[in-house]
Amino acid sequence: MRPINKYIIVKQIKEELKTSSGLLLSSDDAKMFRYKKAVIIKKGDNVENMSAKDIIYYDKAAGHEILLKDEPHTIILERDVVVVL
């Protein structure tokens, strides 16, 4: 599978969320955050300034989930990426 144009296939990274005092946040609390963390699996031909294996943050409302090799992945647009680490 190969994304085209400005589409990116990402795999979400589950992260343990802590407050500054060290308390772990529940999954309900984590849903309040606007962005999700992911790793880029493949990028489309016209995606600039990103490459495979980059870690990104993207808008949680963006994209569509699909199953690739029985694992959930998300297809997003380049414009939904807010941070590249």
Side-chain angles (χ1 to χ4, degrees):
M1 180 176 280
R2 184 173 60 96
I4 59 171
N5 205 4
K6 297 261 185 189
Y7 285 95
I8 304 168
I9 298 175
V10 299
K11 183 171 174 124
Q12 188 175 348
I13 297 172
K14 303 284 184 194
E15 55 184 335
E16 195 174 76
L17 301 172
K18 292 183 183 181
T19 63
S20 58
S21 62
L23 294 173
L24 290 176
L25 297 177
S26 70
S27 60
D28 291 334
D29 293 329
K31 289 178 184 176
M32 294 176 16
F33 291 106
R34 181 169 176 175
Y35 302 108
K36 291 182 179 179
K37 187 176 184 180
V39 61
I40 295 176
I41 303 301
K42 289 187 180 181
K43 66 181 188 92
D45 311 356
N46 296 328
V47 175
E48 299 175 7
N49 303 319
M50 289 179 258
S51 57
K53 299 184 182 176
D54 280 350
I55 305 295
I56 61 166
Y57 281 93
Y58 68 96
D59 191 337
K60 74 177 181 180
H64 305 282
E65 288 204 12
I66 61 170
L67 284 177
L68 293 175
K69 298 179 184 176
D70 296 325
E71 291 187 37
H73 290 73
T74 305
I75 298 177
I76 62 172
L77 281 167
E78 178 183 31
R79 70 173 181 227
D80 297 320
V81 176
V82 293
V83 174
V84 178
L85 300 176

